[in-house]
Amino acid sequence: MTLEAIRYRDGSLQILNQLLLPHQTEFEEIRSVQDGWDAIKAMKVRGAPAIAIVGCLSLAVELRARPLQEVAELVWFVHSSLSHLSSARPTAVNMSRAACELVEFTQRESQERSAEELRESVIGWIEAMLERDIGDNKKIGNFGAQHILSGVPHGQISVLTHCNTGSLATSGYGTALGVVRSLHAMGRLERVFCTETRPYNQGARLTAYEMVTEGIPATLITDSTAALAMREKGISAVVVGADRVVANGDTANKVGTYQLAIAAKHHGIPFYVAAPSTSCDLNLESGNDIVIEERPATELTHINGAAIAASGVDVWNPAFDVTPHQLITGGIITELGVFLPSELQAALTGRLTAL
């Protein structure tokens, strides 16, 4: 069974505070939209799918608790709350995409429903995100595992991943770690190598925690060991997640992903991006259009409050980098299948047209 990072029961939301892992397991109550914004901004919850789910669930919780408003007031509250939540971490597209879809849904529903009916309809739309995300993640895991194994028909394989893309970054199962879980369930995974993922150490604190908890064979390496591991450790594929995939296939992910793609290309190792369609933003043509969040300097200069760098040094701390589509040689794994970057836009547009 995978770890539970989001606990939601009709009107009650708790999140696992990921800042305290792996040493403490502590759930925090989210009672309002502002609580949700604060948790996302502080990275108590992180991972593009989880950001959208927790953000929207914080709205559902506050809607349930607020005195009933007129329809127009409800529409305004939903719109303003979602706009605020989208500002917490702008690089990940899932929150802003969910916001746009929910605003459109709310406006349509408001034309023919009472205030009480509208509130229940909006809450129901949000609650459905949890189950839908888990279903999409399992499809991603299976599609990705099968695609990787098609190139390695026999024997055990090892994969390398970056940052955290598992149950702690989604509503359950995971994207890139969903692929790892599927390989493990098939009996074909020898080992997953996970980078520490400086400066926030999501790989060391979170991915390693998930793998140890679930008994999946894993080896933690420093970020600077990745190219050497590709050369020495028989790695069959690199699989990472994504915070935003744009129309040409360029992908924003945790900083350090770009250099992994370059190293994989040099070593002839297929490089995969695993992401639900909700992380795909066809409104942007290339990675040059992605706004990259920059984080506080102290994340780089301090560990647990203790300084590790010379006082006064300049710091550049982007949270993400962009991997050009030419380096995504394995493909982009979605709940719809695995596509080359050049195929992605047509595949997603076809899906939207069918819907």
Side-chain angles (χ1 to χ4, degrees):
M1 179 177 292
T2 57
L3 292 166
E4 183 182 32
I6 302 169
R7 290 179 176 173
Y8 177 79
R9 304 291 183 273
D10 190 24
S12 173
L13 173 63
Q14 294 180 320
I15 61 157
L16 181 62
N17 183 347
Q18 297 185 29
L19 297 178
L20 303 179
L21 292 174
H23 305 298
Q24 299 179 51
T25 302
E26 181 177 302
F27 281 84
E28 292 191 6
E29 193 82 24
I30 302 294
R31 296 184 175 86
S32 66
V33 167
Q34 187 58 47
D35 284 351
W37 189 96
D38 291 340
I40 293 167
K41 186 68 175 179
M43 293 179 68
K44 292 179 179 179
V45 60
R46 23 70 49 209
I51 286 171
I53 291 166
V54 169
C56 289
L57 285 174
S58 74
L59 171 59
V61 167
E62 188 161 348
L63 279 173
R64 183 70 74 195
R66 288 173 69 90
L68 189 61
Q69 300 168 298
E70 296 297 324
V71 168
E73 291 177 307
L74 271 174
V75 172
W76 175 86
F77 176 70
V78 169
H79 186 279
S80 61
S81 296
L82 291 169
S83 178
H84 181 49
L85 287 162
S86 297
S87 71
R89 299 199 67 198
T91 302
V93 72
N94 301 58
M95 184 64 241
S96 60
R97 179 167 177 169
C100 289
E101 292 177 359
L102 184 51
V103 165
E104 290 177 3
F105 174 83
T106 304
Q107 290 174 336
R108 287 197 308 271
E109 292 286 293
S110 70
Q111 303 303 312
E112 52 189 36
R113 296 191 182 275
S114 67
E116 177 63 26
E117 291 171 334
L118 178 60
R119 179 169 67 178
E120 294 304 314
S121 186
V122 170
I123 291 173
W125 190 98
I126 292 170
E127 290 175 344
M129 293 176 70
L130 281 164
E131 187 173 348
R132 185 166 60 245
D133 184 61
I134 291 176
D136 287 347
N137 290 344
K138 290 183 176 179
K139 291 176 183 176
I140 288 169
N142 288 329
F143 279 131
Q146 290 167 7
H147 198 278
I148 292 170
L149 292 177
S150 68
V152 189
H154 306 291
Q156 301 289 94
I157 69 167
S158 292
V159 299
L160 187 147
T161 193
H162 187 57
C163 199
N164 175 259
T165 55
S167 298
L168 298 174
T170 64
S171 64
Y173 205 73
T175 54
L177 280 189
V179 176
V180 170
R181 285 190 170 91
S182 292
L183 288 167
H184 182 61
M186 294 174 182
R188 295 292 305 277
L189 180 72
E190 179 175 346
R191 185 157 297 275
V192 57
F193 289 85
C194 45
T195 58
E196 60 182 342
T197 326
R198 281 282 293 149
Y200 228 70
N201 293 322
Q202 293 100 320
R205 292 189 302 107
L206 307 179
T207 298
Y209 175 70
E210 287 198 43
M211 298 296 93
V212 169
T213 299
E214 297 177 36
I216 296 175
T219 296
L220 178 66
I221 60 174
T222 65
D223 292 356
S224 52
T225 306
L228 181 62
M230 291 182 199
R231 191 182 73 184
E232 301 290 338
K233 294 298 182 179
I235 290 169
S236 300
V238 178
V239 189
V240 301
D243 289 83
R244 189 181 298 241
V245 183
V246 298
N248 72 343
D250 291 353
T251 297
N253 192 48
K254 174 67 180 181
V255 69
T257 302
Y258 178 28
Q259 61 196 20
L260 292 180
I262 293 171
K265 178 78 169 179
H266 174 78
H267 290 94
I269 298 171
F271 185 92
Y272 290 89
V273 170
S277 59
T278 52
S279 295
C280 300
D281 183 2
L282 302 184
N283 294 316
L284 300 185
E285 292 185 6
S286 77
N288 294 329
D289 302 317
I290 300 174
V291 176
I292 299 298
E293 173 190 0
E294 294 197 18
R295 301 287 299 175
T298 52
E299 291 182 359
L300 202 59
T301 60
H302 291 67
I303 293 180
N304 294 329
I308 60 169
S311 178
V313 68
D314 287 339
V315 171
W316 181 39
N317 186 22
F320 306 93
D321 58 27
V322 174
T323 299
H325 62 275
Q326 298 94 331
L327 296 176
I328 304 172
T329 54
I332 298 172
I333 310 165
T334 75
E335 75 276 16
L336 305 175
V338 183
F339 307 100
L340 293 174
S342 59
E343 301 169 334
L344 183 68
Q345 184 171 16
L348 295 184
T349 302
R351 180 211 187 195
L352 293 174
T353 301
L355 292 176

